[in-house]
Amino acid sequence: MSTALSPKLEASWKKVLANEFKQPYMHKLKEFLQNEKQLGKTVYPKGSHIFSAFNLTPFDQVKVVILGQDPYHGPGQAHGLSFSVMPEVRVPPSLNNMYKELNSDVAFQHPGHGYLEGWAKQGVLLLNSVLTVRHSEAYSHRGQGWEELTDAAISYLSQLKEGIAFFVLGQCGQVKSKVD
């Protein structure tokens, strides 16, 4: 298949990642996700939120990248930003730990919620290595193609921009930090 996929993606990212959406791995990924749906599997986040990290933080505005593993896998949690949950959802332990570290380092005050869209709009790319996950099955969509796309995004940021701070968390993040 040689046609490019055309997801709803913020213009600067669409330009940077255009060639990636022509690659065979993206067509395989699309087939995998369609198959998950046909099998009745619940996948998070919902389709309109899969690319939220890119859509809320344009390429030219990225100042910081916080890289996670994959979306939270419970109902109502994932909305396309790593470590972020919808406002009405209890703050997950991983984000609470980040808040504690920020408090000890820079006197950050816990906002009482885990909704990080404001960070994304200020230039913090909240990117997961894998952008979708099956309900109650952490890291269930690894190896399906997302890693190639997110590797490409990180590579483009590293090559085309200067002064970006990268925060990689966990083993998955450490592996991803070796991307050129």
Side-chain angles (χ1 to χ4, degrees):
M1 208 180 279
S2 61
T3 60
L5 301 177
S6 186
K8 291 182 181 176
L9 201 60
E10 187 276 330
S12 63
W13 278 110
K14 193 167 196 160
K15 182 178 177 183
V16 168
L17 296 174
N19 192 51
E20 297 305 312
F21 290 102
K22 298 175 188 174
Q23 300 305 312
Y25 76 84
M26 287 304 297
H27 292 280
K28 284 182 171 178
L29 175 60
K30 181 180 179 182
E31 289 173 13
F32 170 78
L33 292 171
Q34 288 173 333
N35 189 51
E36 289 282 90
K37 187 175 182 177
Q38 288 172 349
L39 292 173
K41 303 291 183 182
T42 300
V43 173
Y44 303 121
K46 66 182 182 177
S48 62
H49 288 174
I50 291 172
F51 294 107
S52 289
F54 297 118
N55 289 331
L56 292 170
T57 313
F59 183 84
D60 294 337
Q61 295 177 22
V62 175
K63 299 172 191 159
V64 174
V65 177
I66 298 178
L67 185 66
Q69 176 177 289
D70 65 340
Y72 293 120
H73 52 83
Q77 295 177 316
H79 65 103
L81 302 176
S82 67
F83 299 99
S84 181
V85 292
M86 297 304 287
E88 65 278 1
V89 175
R90 195 179 112 242
V91 178
S94 55
L95 183 55
N96 266 326
N97 289 338
M98 287 175 54
Y99 284 167
K100 287 176 190 174
E101 288 298 320
L102 284 168
N103 178 267
S104 70
D105 289 349
V106 295
F108 173 84
Q109 295 301 308
H110 194 303
H113 61 79
Y115 189 58
L116 304 180
E117 185 174 296
W119 289 14
K121 290 180 176 179
Q122 294 177 55
V124 180
L125 181 64
L126 298 161
L127 185 65
N128 281 311
S129 176
V130 174
L131 302 186
T132 58
V133 67
R134 193 177 303 131
H135 171 76
S136 295
E137 294 182 44
Y139 220 22
S140 54
H141 287 184
R142 74 173 167 221
Q144 299 300 326
W146 287 126
E147 294 92 340
E148 288 88 345
L149 180 68
T150 56
D151 283 353
I154 290 167
S155 181
Y156 290 125
L157 284 168
S158 297
Q159 292 171 20
L160 302 174
K161 292 192 53 109
E162 292 183 8
I164 297 176
F166 287 86
F167 294 92
V168 294
L169 303 162
Q171 185 179 14
C172 176
Q174 291 170 359
V175 169
K176 191 66 98 177
S177 69
K178 294 174 177 39
V179 173
D180 291 334

Short mmCIF file of all heavy atoms in Angstrom, two decimals, residues 93-129:
data_model
loop_
_atom_site.label_atom_id
_atom_site.label_comp_id
_atom_site.label_asym_id
_atom_site.label_seq_id
_atom_site.Cartn_x
_atom_site.Cartn_y
_atom_site.Cartn_z
N PRO A 93 -0.98 7.51 40.66
CA PRO A 93 0.25 7.53 41.46
C PRO A 93 1.46 8.06 40.69
O PRO A 93 2.28 8.79 41.25
CB PRO A 93 0.44 6.06 41.86
CG PRO A 93 -0.94 5.47 41.82
CD PRO A 93 -1.65 6.20 40.72
N SER A 94 1.59 7.70 39.42
CA SER A 94 2.76 8.15 38.65
C SER A 94 2.79 9.68 38.55
O SER A 94 3.85 10.30 38.68
CB SER A 94 2.76 7.53 37.25
OG SER A 94 1.55 7.80 36.58
N LEU A 95 1.65 10.29 38.35
CA LEU A 95 1.59 11.75 38.27
C LEU A 95 1.77 12.38 39.64
O LEU A 95 2.44 13.41 39.78
CB LEU A 95 0.28 12.21 37.61
CG LEU A 95 0.13 13.71 37.40
CD1 LEU A 95 1.31 14.30 36.61
CD2 LEU A 95 -1.18 14.02 36.71
N ASN A 96 1.20 11.76 40.67
CA ASN A 96 1.43 12.27 42.03
C ASN A 96 2.91 12.28 42.35
O ASN A 96 3.42 13.22 42.97
CB ASN A 96 0.67 11.44 43.06
CG ASN A 96 -0.68 12.02 43.40
OD1 ASN A 96 -0.85 13.25 43.41
ND2 ASN A 96 -1.64 11.18 43.66
N ASN A 97 3.64 11.25 41.93
CA ASN A 97 5.08 11.21 42.15
C ASN A 97 5.78 12.35 41.41
O ASN A 97 6.72 12.96 41.94
CB ASN A 97 5.67 9.86 41.72
CG ASN A 97 5.28 8.74 42.65
OD1 ASN A 97 4.93 8.97 43.81
ND2 ASN A 97 5.30 7.52 42.16
N MET A 98 5.35 12.63 40.18
CA MET A 98 5.92 13.76 39.43
C MET A 98 5.65 15.06 40.17
O MET A 98 6.55 15.91 40.30
CB MET A 98 5.35 13.81 38.01
CG MET A 98 5.88 12.74 37.09
SD MET A 98 5.10 12.71 35.46
CE MET A 98 5.31 14.38 34.90
N TYR A 99 4.43 15.24 40.65
CA TYR A 99 4.09 16.45 41.39
C TYR A 99 4.97 16.61 42.63
O TYR A 99 5.44 17.70 42.94
CB TYR A 99 2.62 16.42 41.81
CG TYR A 99 1.60 16.69 40.73
CD1 TYR A 99 0.26 16.43 40.95
CD2 TYR A 99 1.94 17.22 39.48
CE1 TYR A 99 -0.71 16.68 39.99
CE2 TYR A 99 0.99 17.48 38.51
CZ TYR A 99 -0.34 17.20 38.77
OH TYR A 99 -1.29 17.47 37.81
N LYS A 100 5.20 15.50 43.36
CA LYS A 100 6.05 15.55 44.56
C LYS A 100 7.48 15.97 44.20
O LYS A 100 8.09 16.78 44.90
CB LYS A 100 6.06 14.20 45.26
CG LYS A 100 4.78 13.87 45.98
CD LYS A 100 4.83 12.47 46.57
CE LYS A 100 3.46 12.06 47.08
NZ LYS A 100 3.43 10.66 47.52
N GLU A 101 8.01 15.41 43.13
CA GLU A 101 9.37 15.78 42.69
C GLU A 101 9.43 17.25 42.29
O GLU A 101 10.38 17.95 42.63
CB GLU A 101 9.83 14.89 41.53
CG GLU A 101 10.14 13.46 41.93
CD GLU A 101 11.28 13.35 42.94
OE1 GLU A 101 12.26 14.09 42.82
OE2 GLU A 101 11.17 12.52 43.85
N LEU A 102 8.43 17.70 41.56
CA LEU A 102 8.38 19.11 41.17
C LEU A 102 8.28 20.01 42.39
O LEU A 102 8.90 21.07 42.45
CB LEU A 102 7.20 19.36 40.22
CG LEU A 102 7.38 18.90 38.79
CD1 LEU A 102 6.06 18.94 38.04
CD2 LEU A 102 8.42 19.75 38.08
N ASN A 103 7.51 19.57 43.39
CA ASN A 103 7.39 20.37 44.60
C ASN A 103 8.72 20.48 45.32
O ASN A 103 9.11 21.57 45.76
CB ASN A 103 6.32 19.76 45.53
CG ASN A 103 6.22 20.54 46.82
OD1 ASN A 103 6.87 20.20 47.81
ND2 ASN A 103 5.41 21.58 46.80
N SER A 104 9.45 19.36 45.41
CA SER A 104 10.74 19.41 46.12
C SER A 104 11.80 20.16 45.32
O SER A 104 12.69 20.78 45.90
CB SER A 104 11.23 17.99 46.45
OG SER A 104 11.61 17.30 45.29
N ASP A 105 11.69 20.15 43.99
CA ASP A 105 12.69 20.83 43.16
C ASP A 105 12.41 22.31 42.95
O ASP A 105 13.33 23.13 42.99
CB ASP A 105 12.79 20.16 41.78
CG ASP A 105 13.43 18.79 41.85
OD1 ASP A 105 13.99 18.42 42.89
OD2 ASP A 105 13.35 18.07 40.82
N VAL A 106 11.15 22.65 42.68
CA VAL A 106 10.84 24.04 42.32
C VAL A 106 9.61 24.59 43.05
O VAL A 106 8.99 25.54 42.59
CB VAL A 106 10.65 24.19 40.79
CG1 VAL A 106 11.92 23.91 40.04
CG2 VAL A 106 9.51 23.31 40.28
N ALA A 107 9.27 23.99 44.20
CA ALA A 107 8.14 24.45 45.02
C ALA A 107 6.82 24.46 44.24
O ALA A 107 5.95 25.29 44.48
CB ALA A 107 8.43 25.83 45.62
N PHE A 108 6.66 23.53 43.32
CA PHE A 108 5.42 23.37 42.57
C PHE A 108 4.29 23.00 43.52
O PHE A 108 4.46 22.15 44.40
CB PHE A 108 5.61 22.27 41.52
CG PHE A 108 4.37 21.89 40.77
CD1 PHE A 108 3.97 22.62 39.66
CD2 PHE A 108 3.62 20.78 41.14
CE1 PHE A 108 2.83 22.26 38.96
CE2 PHE A 108 2.49 20.41 40.43
CZ PHE A 108 2.09 21.16 39.34
N GLN A 109 3.15 23.61 43.33
CA GLN A 109 1.98 23.30 44.15
C GLN A 109 1.05 22.36 43.41
O GLN A 109 0.67 22.64 42.27
CB GLN A 109 1.24 24.59 44.52
CG GLN A 109 2.05 25.51 45.42
CD GLN A 109 2.44 24.85 46.73
OE1 GLN A 109 1.60 24.30 47.45
NE2 GLN A 109 3.72 24.86 47.05
N HIS A 110 0.69 21.26 44.05
CA HIS A 110 -0.25 20.28 43.47
C HIS A 110 -1.55 20.99 43.12
O HIS A 110 -2.15 21.64 43.96
CB HIS A 110 -0.50 19.18 44.50
CG HIS A 110 -1.16 17.96 43.96
ND1 HIS A 110 -2.39 17.99 43.32
CD2 HIS A 110 -0.79 16.67 43.97
CE1 HIS A 110 -2.73 16.76 42.97
NE2 HIS A 110 -1.78 15.94 43.35
N PRO A 111 -1.99 20.88 41.86
CA PRO A 111 -3.20 21.60 41.45
C PRO A 111 -4.50 20.94 41.89
O PRO A 111 -5.58 21.51 41.69
CB PRO A 111 -3.09 21.61 39.92
CG PRO A 111 -2.31 20.38 39.60
CD PRO A 111 -1.34 20.21 40.74
N GLY A 112 -4.43 19.73 42.47
CA GLY A 112 -5.65 19.06 42.89
C GLY A 112 -6.32 18.25 41.79
O GLY A 112 -7.40 17.72 41.98
N HIS A 113 -5.67 18.15 40.64
CA HIS A 113 -6.20 17.37 39.52
C HIS A 113 -5.01 16.86 38.70
O HIS A 113 -3.87 17.27 38.93
CB HIS A 113 -7.15 18.19 38.64
CG HIS A 113 -6.49 19.39 38.01
ND1 HIS A 113 -5.69 19.30 36.89
CD2 HIS A 113 -6.51 20.70 38.37
CE1 HIS A 113 -5.25 20.50 36.57
NE2 HIS A 113 -5.72 21.37 37.45
N GLY A 114 -5.31 16.00 37.74
CA GLY A 114 -4.25 15.45 36.90
C GLY A 114 -4.40 15.82 35.44
O GLY A 114 -3.84 15.15 34.57
N TYR A 115 -5.12 16.87 35.15
CA TYR A 115 -5.39 17.29 33.78
C TYR A 115 -4.29 18.24 33.32
O TYR A 115 -4.19 19.37 33.80
CB TYR A 115 -6.76 17.97 33.73
CG TYR A 115 -7.27 18.28 32.35
CD1 TYR A 115 -7.44 17.27 31.40
CD2 TYR A 115 -7.62 19.57 32.00
CE1 TYR A 115 -7.95 17.55 30.14
CE2 TYR A 115 -8.14 19.86 30.74
CZ TYR A 115 -8.30 18.85 29.82
OH TYR A 115 -8.79 19.13 28.57
N LEU A 116 -3.44 17.79 32.39
CA LEU A 116 -2.24 18.53 32.00
C LEU A 116 -2.35 19.25 30.67
O LEU A 116 -1.34 19.64 30.09
CB LEU A 116 -1.04 17.56 31.98
CG LEU A 116 -0.77 16.81 33.27
CD1 LEU A 116 0.44 15.90 33.11
CD2 LEU A 116 -0.59 17.77 34.44
N GLU A 117 -3.54 19.47 30.18
CA GLU A 117 -3.69 20.16 28.90
C GLU A 117 -3.03 21.54 28.93
O GLU A 117 -2.44 21.97 27.94
CB GLU A 117 -5.16 20.29 28.52
CG GLU A 117 -5.36 20.88 27.13
CD GLU A 117 -6.80 20.89 26.67
OE1 GLU A 117 -7.37 19.79 26.52
OE2 GLU A 117 -7.34 21.99 26.46
N GLY A 118 -3.08 22.21 30.05
CA GLY A 118 -2.43 23.52 30.17
C GLY A 118 -0.94 23.44 29.94
O GLY A 118 -0.34 24.32 29.31
N TRP A 119 -0.31 22.38 30.43
CA TRP A 119 1.12 22.18 30.18
C TRP A 119 1.37 22.03 28.68
O TRP A 119 2.30 22.62 28.14
CB TRP A 119 1.63 20.94 30.90
CG TRP A 119 1.73 21.00 32.39
CD1 TRP A 119 1.19 21.94 33.23
CD2 TRP A 119 2.40 20.07 33.22
NE1 TRP A 119 1.50 21.63 34.52
CE2 TRP A 119 2.23 20.49 34.55
CE3 TRP A 119 3.13 18.91 32.98
CZ2 TRP A 119 2.78 19.79 35.64
CZ3 TRP A 119 3.67 18.21 34.04
CH2 TRP A 119 3.49 18.66 35.36
N ALA A 120 0.53 21.21 28.04
CA ALA A 120 0.70 20.95 26.60
C ALA A 120 0.60 22.25 25.81
O ALA A 120 1.39 22.48 24.89
CB ALA A 120 -0.35 19.94 26.12
N LYS A 121 -0.31 23.10 26.17
CA LYS A 121 -0.49 24.36 25.45
C LYS A 121 0.64 25.35 25.72
O LYS A 121 0.75 26.35 25.02
CB LYS A 121 -1.84 24.97 25.82
CG LYS A 121 -3.01 24.18 25.24
CD LYS A 121 -4.34 24.80 25.62
CE LYS A 121 -5.49 24.06 24.96
NZ LYS A 121 -6.79 24.62 25.33
N GLN A 122 1.47 25.06 26.73
CA GLN A 122 2.62 25.92 27.04
C GLN A 122 3.93 25.36 26.49
O GLN A 122 5.00 25.85 26.82
CB GLN A 122 2.75 26.10 28.55
CG GLN A 122 1.60 26.86 29.17
CD GLN A 122 1.76 26.95 30.67
OE1 GLN A 122 2.77 27.41 31.18
NE2 GLN A 122 0.74 26.49 31.38
N GLY A 123 3.84 24.31 25.66
CA GLY A 123 5.04 23.80 25.02
C GLY A 123 5.60 22.52 25.60
O GLY A 123 6.71 22.11 25.26
N VAL A 124 4.85 21.85 26.47
CA VAL A 124 5.28 20.57 27.03
C VAL A 124 4.63 19.46 26.22
O VAL A 124 3.41 19.25 26.30
CB VAL A 124 4.92 20.44 28.52
CG1 VAL A 124 5.38 19.09 29.07
CG2 VAL A 124 5.53 21.58 29.34
N LEU A 125 5.43 18.76 25.42
CA LEU A 125 4.92 17.64 24.63
C LEU A 125 4.82 16.42 25.54
O LEU A 125 5.82 15.86 25.97
CB LEU A 125 5.84 17.34 23.44
CG LEU A 125 5.39 16.21 22.52
CD1 LEU A 125 4.08 16.55 21.82
CD2 LEU A 125 6.48 15.90 21.49
N LEU A 126 3.59 16.05 25.87
CA LEU A 126 3.32 14.93 26.77
C LEU A 126 3.06 13.70 25.91
O LEU A 126 1.93 13.35 25.59
CB LEU A 126 2.12 15.26 27.66
CG LEU A 126 2.34 16.47 28.58
CD1 LEU A 126 1.03 17.04 29.07
CD2 LEU A 126 3.25 16.08 29.73
N LEU A 127 4.15 13.05 25.52
CA LEU A 127 4.11 11.99 24.52
C LEU A 127 4.34 10.62 25.14
O LEU A 127 5.25 10.44 25.94
CB LEU A 127 5.21 12.26 23.47
CG LEU A 127 5.26 11.34 22.27
CD1 LEU A 127 4.01 11.49 21.41
CD2 LEU A 127 6.51 11.66 21.44
N ASN A 128 3.52 9.68 24.76
CA ASN A 128 3.76 8.28 25.11
C ASN A 128 4.49 7.61 23.97
O ASN A 128 4.34 7.99 22.81
CB ASN A 128 2.43 7.55 25.38
CG ASN A 128 1.88 7.83 26.75
OD1 ASN A 128 2.58 7.74 27.74
ND2 ASN A 128 0.61 8.20 26.80
N SER A 129 5.25 6.58 24.29
CA SER A 129 5.94 5.79 23.28
C SER A 129 4.94 5.06 22.39
O SER A 129 5.12 4.93 21.19
CB SER A 129 6.87 4.79 23.97
OG SER A 129 7.48 3.95 23.03
#
